[in-house]
Amino acid sequence: MQSVATASSADQTRALSLSTIAFTACFAVWTIFSIIGVAIKAELGLSDTQFGLLVATPILTGSVSRLFLGIWTEKYGGRLVFSSQMLLTAIATWALTLADTYVMYLVAALGIGLAGGSFIIGVAYVSRWYDAGHQGTALGIFGAGNVGAAVTKFLAPFVMVAYGWHGVAYVWAAGLAILGVLFFLLAKDDPQLVARRKSGAKAPSLTQQFAPLKNLQVWRFSLYYFFVFGAFVALALWLPHYLIDVYGIDVRYAGMAAASFSLSASLFRAYGGILSDRFGARSVMYWTFSFSMLFLLMLSYPPTDYVIAGKDGPIAFSTSMGLWPFIATLFALGFFMSLGKAAVFKHIPVYYPNHVGAVGGLVGMIGGLGGFALPIAFGVLLDLTGIYTSCFALLLLVVAIALAWMHFSVRAMERAAHGEVLDRLPELPEMRAIHVPGRNAMARVLDDWRPEDSEFWATQGRAVARRNLWVSIPALLLAFSVWMVWSMVIARLPAIGFAFTPEQLFWLAALPALSGATLRIFYGFMVPIFGGRLWTTLATASLLLPAIGIGYAVQNPETPYVMFLVLALLCGLGGANFASSMANIGYFFPKAEKGNALALNAGLGNLGVSVMQFLVPLVITISVFGAMGGQPQTLSDGGQLWMQNAGFVWVPFILAATVAAWLGMNDIADAKASFVQQSVIFGRTHNWLMCVLYIGTFGSFIGYSAGFPLLSRIAFPDINALQFVFLGPLVGALSRAGTGWVADRFGGGRVTFWVFAGMIVSVLAVILSLQAGSFAGFFAGFMALFFFTGVGNASTFQMIPVIMGREVPRLMPHLTGTDRARQIAMESGGIVAFTSAIGAYGGFFIPKAYGSSIAMTGSPIGALWLFLAFYVLCLAITWAVYTRPGGLLHQIEHKGARPASIAAQPAQ
C-alpha cells in the first residue's frame, strides 16, 4: 500500500488530476448512447427492449473488462494500460459511424464499452499514490469523473442538433484519442511499480490476485455497487428516453434534466470520500440505502386516478409527480448514490490493500453489469406492464435486498465480536426453554477433513460427504435441464410466430453447447478459489438468468434474434456447472468410494436432459402459473401453447436448489489445486487422443440430445416426435451409469473399440431410414446411438487412469511410491477434467453440422456421413494406439494385469 512518505505531493496531484480528467472523458464516451441512441432508435424503428439492449451493450464490455484491466494495471501499471484503453476506445467510437444495421451497432457498442473499464484502472493506479487515511478522499475525487455522463447529456444534444449523431461520435472519438496520448506523455508510473521493477520482483500471479475473491464479503460489496453504480449508469442511459415519453419534452431539455441527476450522482462522490474517511464507510452506506429507499418509493408510485364514495357522492382525484418534483427527487437520489459509490470503494483498499485491482475489478464488474442488465430489465418491464415507473420499483427491490444483507452481516459481526456466550443465547427469550446450545450451529468450512482415515470417515466424514453429494445431484440435474431446454424451445419457435430460418434455429441449438464447453474449462478451477459451497450456490443461482429470460422472450414474436442468441449462450451456464460440481464432490470422498460418488453425481445429473425433454412438452400445454405466467401463444391450427413455461417451470426448483446448496453444503479448507502442476497434461499425447475419443462419445451424447428434437421435427413434420425424444438422453444416461462394470471387467479400450463399431452401424441405420422416410428406423437408430454413447462415456474415462498408470512411470522414472501414485492421480484427474470440457464441444458441432448440411444440400444426411467418418477415425485411433497387439492397453486388458492401485474413474 502506498504511503505519503514515498510519493511527493506534486506527484500525487499529477496522478489524481490526470486520472480524473481521463476518467471523465471515458465516462462521457461510455454513456454516449444515452443521447445518440434516441436518434438511432428512431432511425431503425427499435422497440423499447431493443433500445434497452443497445444502450446497455457498452456497459457489458465495460463491466466485464474491469476484472482484467484491474489485474493488468497491477501488473503493467496504470500509465500504459490507461493510455492503451483510451486509444482503443476512440477507434471503436469512430467505427460506430460506419454501422448501418442493428447488429453492426451492437458490435460497435461492444467496442465503445471499453471506456467503462477505465474506472478500475484509475482506482488501482490512484490508490497506490495515497495512504489509507487519504485513499477515501482521493478515490472520491477520482470517482467524480462520473460527471462525464452529465457532460454528454449537456453537450451532445446541441452537437447532435447541429451536426447529427455522427458528429457527436467524431468529436468524442477525437477528444478521447488526444487524451490517451497526453496521458501516456504526462503521467508517471506509480511508485509501487517502479520499486518492483528496480528490485526485479515478479508481478503477483493470477492465483494470488484472485485469492480474495473467494470471500463472501467481496460479493456483498459487489451487490452494493450493483445499486449505487449500476443503477446510476442504468438511469443515466434510460432517463432521456423516460423524460421524452412521460413528460413530452424534446431531447435537449431531456438531456439537461437527466444531466442534473448525473451531476449529483457524480460530483458529490468526492464529498462521499471525505465523509467515509471521517465517519466510516459503513455509516455512509446506511445513509445511502435508507434515503434511496425513500426516494425510490416516491418515484415508483405511478400516476393514479382515485374515486372515493363520499357522503355527497363520488370524490375523484389523481396523483402524479410533476416534472420539477421529479427532477428534484432524482437529484436527491443521485446525491446519496454518489456518497455510496465512494463508500464502497473506501472499503476495498482498507480490507484488501494488496489486491485492489482484482477485488476492485470484480466489484466494478458486478456494478457495471448492473448498468448492462438494468436498462434491459427496464425495457422488458415497460413492454410487459406498460407502467413507466416500473423501473424505479425494480430499483427499490434491489436496494431493499442490499440494505437487509448489509444489516444482517453487520449484526453477525457484532455478535461474533461478543464471543460464543452471546451466540449461544436464543434469539427470543420465549425460546430459551427449547434452546440447546450448539444445536443450531453447523460448520460451513471443514478445517479437518481426512477421508482416507477410516476412523474419521466412519464416525464423521461419510455423513457429511453424502449430504453434500445429495445436495449436489439435484443442482446438477437442473443444470443439465437448463443447458438442454433450448433444444425443446427452438423446435416450437416457428409454430408460435418466430420467422427464423433452419440455419438460425440450428445456431440457437448449438450455442449453449459452445458456451457450456468453453466455460467448463474455467469452472473446473473455481472450486479451489471460491469454495464448493459458495460456487455451487452461485452457479445454481445463475441458472435463473436463462430460465427467466426464456420465459419472457418467447412471449413476443418481435423479440430480436440477437436476444435469443444471448439466451442461448446463457443456457451454457448449465453445461459449465458439471466441471465444478464434479471437482467439488471429488474432494469429499476417499479413493475407495470416489468412483461411485462421482458416477452418481454425473449419471443422475445427466438425467436432467431426459427429465427436461419429458417435462417441457407437458407444461407448455397448460397454464401452470396462471395469470402470472403470461398469455398463451396461438398456433396456426388454432391450438394454444404456453411456451414461457419451458423456462419458468425451472425457477422454483432452481431457487430451492440454491437455498439447499447454501444451507446444506460445506467448504473444505485444504481443497487446493494448482493449475501450474496440472498443466503438465497439455504435453501428454494421450491427453489429446482421449479428447478426440471423448468428443466421439460424450460429444455425440450431448450433441444428439441438443439436435434430436429439432432434427425429428424437420425430418418428420407429420409426427409429434417431441413426446418421445426424452427417451434418447434417458437411454444414454442409464447406459452410462449401468455399464461401467463392463469396462472394469473387459477393459476400457476393448469396450471403446466396440462402442465406435456400434455407433458406425447405428449411423448407417439412421441414414438409410431417412432416405427411406421411416420414422421407426430413424428412431431406433438414434436409440442405439444414445445407448453406445453412454457405454462409451464410461469406458473412455475408465481408460484414462490405466493409461497414465503406464505412462507416468515411463516419463517420470525418478518418481517412486507415494509420489508416483500422487502424480498418476493428479494427471488422471487433470485429463478427465480437460477431456470433459473438450468433449462437450460436440454439443455445438453436431447441431451446427445439421444446420449447415440442410442449408447446403437440403438434407441432414451430409452431416451424418461426416459423423460416421469421424467414428471411423476414433475406431482407428482406439485400435492402433490402445487395443491392437503391442498397443498400450493390450497386455493389461487381455491378461487382467491392470494395477490395482489405479481405480477406474467414472464417466462424465
Side-chain angles (χ1 to χ4, degrees):
M1 183 165 53
Q2 181 61 36
S3 65
V4 177
T6 58
S8 68
S9 177
D11 285 343
Q12 289 177 330
T13 302
R14 175 197 291 259
L16 180 58
S17 300
L18 288 173
S19 298
T20 303
I21 294 170
F23 179 48
T24 301
C26 286
F27 215 89
V29 172
W30 200 30
T31 56
I32 192 173
F33 278 102
S34 63
I35 298 299
I36 69 174
V38 176
I40 295 173
K41 180 177 186 290
E43 183 179 303
L44 299 180
L46 304 180
S47 67
D48 287 311
T49 301
Q50 289 174 311
F51 175 74
L53 179 61
L54 176 64
V55 299
T57 296
I59 312 305
L60 175 63
T61 313
S63 304
V64 175
S65 65
R66 287 183 172 191
L67 186 59
F68 306 101
L69 290 172
I71 293 170
W72 289 340
T73 302
E74 290 191 346
K75 187 172 184 178
Y76 301 111
R79 174 172 169 262
L80 176 61
V81 177
F82 218 149
S83 301
S84 302
Q85 175 264 337
M86 282 189 278
L87 291 174
L88 289 174
T89 304
I91 294 172
T93 307
W94 168 79
L96 177 67
T97 61
L98 305 178
D100 57 3
T101 66
Y102 180 62
V103 173
M104 291 180 66
Y105 280 115
L106 291 176
V107 173
L110 287 172
I112 291 173
L114 286 174
S118 60
F119 173 73
I120 192 55
I121 302 174
V123 168
Y125 180 63
V126 170
S127 65
R128 290 184 172 184
W129 292 91
Y130 292 86
D131 67 290
H134 297 84
Q135 282 174 337
T137 301
L139 292 177
I141 294 172
F142 165 75
N146 288 161
V147 75
V151 172
T152 291
K153 290 179 179 61
F154 269 126
L155 301 180
F158 297 97
V159 177
M160 188 168 70
V161 170
Y163 302 105
W165 71 262
H166 288 80
V168 178
Y170 287 135
V171 172
W172 266 233
L176 192 61
I178 293 171
L179 279 174
V181 174
L182 291 176
F183 191 92
F184 184 78
L185 296 175
L186 299 177
K188 293 184 177 182
D189 288 326
D190 65 82
Q192 190 177 112
L193 178 66
V194 172
R196 191 176 74 220
R197 287 174 176 172
K198 287 182 178 179
S199 66
K202 292 183 177 180
S205 66
L206 287 178
T207 301
Q208 293 171 324
Q209 293 186 67
F210 281 130
L213 303 190
K214 65 183 179 181
N215 297 334
L216 185 60
Q217 180 190 53
V218 174
W219 296 88
R220 178 158 52 86
F221 293 163
S222 298
L223 178 62
Y224 301 168
Y225 208 61
F226 182 88
F227 172 71
V228 295
F229 178 76
F232 154 67
V233 174
L235 287 175
L237 296 170
W238 188 257
L239 280 174
H241 169 61
Y242 181 97
L243 288 163
I244 291 170
D245 282 9
V246 174
Y247 293 102
I249 57 181
D250 69 23
V251 65
R252 290 171 296 178
Y253 294 112
M256 295 178 65
S260 66
F261 166 75
S262 298
L263 277 172
S264 67
S266 305
L267 291 179
F268 293 107
R269 186 166 184 164
Y271 183 52
I274 296 173
L275 292 177
S276 297
D277 283 339
R278 181 175 180 181
F279 298 105
R282 182 183 301 169
S283 298
V284 176
M285 291 308 303
Y286 269 112
W287 302 341
T288 294
F289 289 151
S290 300
F291 280 98
S292 294
M293 285 189 66
L294 173 64
F295 295 132
L296 286 170
L297 181 63
M298 297 166 58
L299 292 168
S300 62
Y301 201 84
T304 308
D305 294 323
Y306 294 93
V307 177
I308 299 175
K311 70 182 184 66
D312 298 322
I315 302 173
F317 65 95
S318 62
T319 62
S320 63
M321 182 176 287
L323 176 60
W324 286 109
F326 178 81
I327 294 174
T329 305
L330 274 179
F331 187 90
L333 174 64
F335 170 78
F336 284 100
M337 293 174 77
S338 189
L339 302 185
K341 284 185 283 187
V344 171
F345 270 85
K346 167 65 177 177
H347 286 85
I348 293 172
V350 173
Y351 281 97
Y352 306 99
N354 298 319
H355 301 86
V356 174
V359 176
L362 177 70
V363 173
M365 181 182 74
I366 300 298
L369 287 175
F372 167 72
L374 288 172
I376 299 175
F378 293 167
V380 171
L381 283 173
L382 181 57
D383 284 341
L384 291 177
T385 66
I387 301 174
Y388 278 101
T389 59
S390 57
C391 59
F392 299 111
L394 176 60
L395 295 182
L396 177 62
L397 175 63
V398 172
V399 74
I401 294 172
L403 177 60
W405 191 1
M406 182 182 73
H407 179 70
F408 286 119
S409 297
V410 170
R411 292 293 297 155
M413 288 187 288
E414 290 174 346
R415 290 177 62 85
H418 286 84
E420 297 182 359
V421 176
L422 181 61
D423 190 54
R424 290 176 180 173
L425 294 176
E427 292 288 344
L428 299 173
E430 293 80 1
M431 298 175 63
R432 185 180 299 275
I434 62 173
H435 183 76
V436 180
R439 175 69 59 84
N440 62 338
M442 183 178 73
R444 302 301 184 191
V445 179
L446 304 173
D447 295 310
D448 179 25
W449 189 250
R450 295 170 281 114
E452 301 298 339
D453 184 330
S454 57
E455 182 179 353
F456 173 86
W457 180 250
T459 57
Q460 303 178 49
R462 179 179 285 112
V464 174
R466 287 181 175 177
R467 168 164 48 78
N468 280 269
L469 172 63
W470 290 110
V471 172
S472 174
I473 287 172
L476 187 56
L477 185 146
L478 288 169
F480 269 91
S481 296
V482 172
W483 191 22
M484 289 292 104
V485 72
W486 203 239
S487 63
M488 299 295 288
V489 171
I490 60 173
R492 287 288 192 176
L493 289 181
I496 58 175
F498 289 88
F500 298 148
T501 66
E503 174 73 2
Q504 288 177 311
L505 292 174
F506 274 111
W507 260 111
L508 293 178
L511 285 178
L514 179 64
S515 62
T518 303
L519 289 172
R520 277 189 180 194
I521 299 173
F522 303 99
Y523 269 46
F525 300 102
M526 292 298 103
V527 170
I529 295 175
F530 296 100
R533 172 175 173 253
L534 174 58
W535 186 253
T536 302
T537 301
L538 293 174
T540 303
S542 71
L543 302 177
L544 291 170
L545 295 174
I548 295 175
I550 289 170
Y552 285 115
V554 298
Q555 295 186 54
N556 183 5
E558 300 301 319
T559 302
Y561 181 69
V562 67
M563 180 64 75
F564 282 94
L565 291 175
V566 171
L567 288 172
L569 291 170
L570 287 175
C571 283
L573 294 171
N577 283 8
F578 175 85
S580 56
S581 179
M582 294 292 279
N584 182 47
I585 293 302
Y587 287 118
F588 281 95
F589 288 84
K591 292 180 181 178
E593 299 186 31
K594 193 185 298 286
N596 184 54
L598 293 178
L600 285 171
N601 195 51
L604 296 180
N606 278 176
L607 281 177
V609 181
S610 185
V611 169
M612 178 277 299
Q613 292 183 342
F614 174 78
L615 182 61
V616 168
L618 296 179
V619 298
I620 63 176
T621 61
I622 54 177
S623 179
V624 177
F625 300 98
M628 294 179 59
Q631 297 300 312
Q633 296 85 49
T634 302
L635 303 177
S636 57
D637 60 3
Q640 290 184 328
L641 284 182
W642 285 262
M643 277 304 301
Q644 58 267 35
N645 291 349
F648 288 154
V649 70
W650 307 109
V651 172
F653 298 106
I654 293 171
L655 291 173
T658 300
V659 173
W662 184 247
L663 298 179
M665 299 190 76
N666 298 91
D667 294 325
I668 299 176
D670 60 353
K672 302 295 182 182
S674 169
F675 175 78
V676 174
Q677 291 175 330
Q678 294 187 68
S679 64
V680 69
I681 67 172
F682 299 119
R684 304 302 195 211
T685 301
H686 295 285
N687 175 49
W688 302 103
L689 292 176
M690 292 309 301
C691 284
V692 174
L693 299 186
Y694 202 58
I695 290 174
T697 57
F698 180 75
S700 296
F701 168 78
I702 204 67
Y704 290 145
S705 298
F708 190 36
L710 185 56
L711 180 63
S712 302
R713 189 82 173 176
I714 292 175
F716 299 95
D718 297 330
I719 296 176
N720 184 15
L722 293 185
Q723 60 185 319
F724 304 115
V725 293
F726 77 93
L727 291 173
L730 177 63
V731 169
L734 294 180
S735 66
R736 161 200 211 164
T739 61
W741 64 271
V742 178
D744 285 337
R745 181 173 179 180
F746 298 104
R750 283 198 287 178
V751 173
T752 300
F753 177 86
W754 290 108
V755 160
F756 286 121
M759 293 176 72
I760 291 170
V761 174
S762 301
V763 172
L764 279 173
V766 172
I767 292 173
L768 294 174
S769 299
L770 282 173
Q771 291 174 337
S774 171
F775 176 76
F778 168 84
F779 189 79
F782 262 107
M783 291 303 103
L785 275 172
F786 276 111
F787 172 79
F788 284 120
T789 62
V791 178
N793 285 339
S795 63
T796 49
F797 268 24
Q798 192 275 345
M799 293 169 63
I800 292 172
V802 182
I803 292 169
M804 299 319 297
R806 293 291 300 271
E807 286 292 280
V808 169
R810 181 180 69 84
L811 296 170
M812 307 177 76
H814 60 281
L815 295 178
T816 58
T818 303
D819 291 337
R820 176 185 290 180
R822 184 182 299 112
Q823 186 70 20
I824 292 171
M826 185 272 290
E827 292 198 31
S828 299
I831 293 175
V832 165
F834 187 70
T835 52
S836 74
I838 300 302
Y841 280 108
F844 167 76
F845 289 113
I846 286 180
K848 185 64 182 71
Y850 286 149
S852 298
S853 178
I854 292 174
M856 295 171 63
T857 68
S859 169
I861 292 178
L864 292 167
W865 280 113
L866 179 65
F867 304 155
L868 188 149
F870 181 72
Y871 299 147
V872 171
L873 173 64
C874 293
L875 183 75
I877 291 174
T878 305
W879 182 83
V881 180
Y882 300 114
T883 64
R884 67 174 176 82
L888 189 66
L889 301 180
H890 182 270
Q891 184 178 4
I892 295 175
E893 295 187 348
H894 283 76
K895 293 186 177 181
R898 283 180 298 138
S901 63
I902 304 173
Q905 297 282 341
Q908 176 263 16

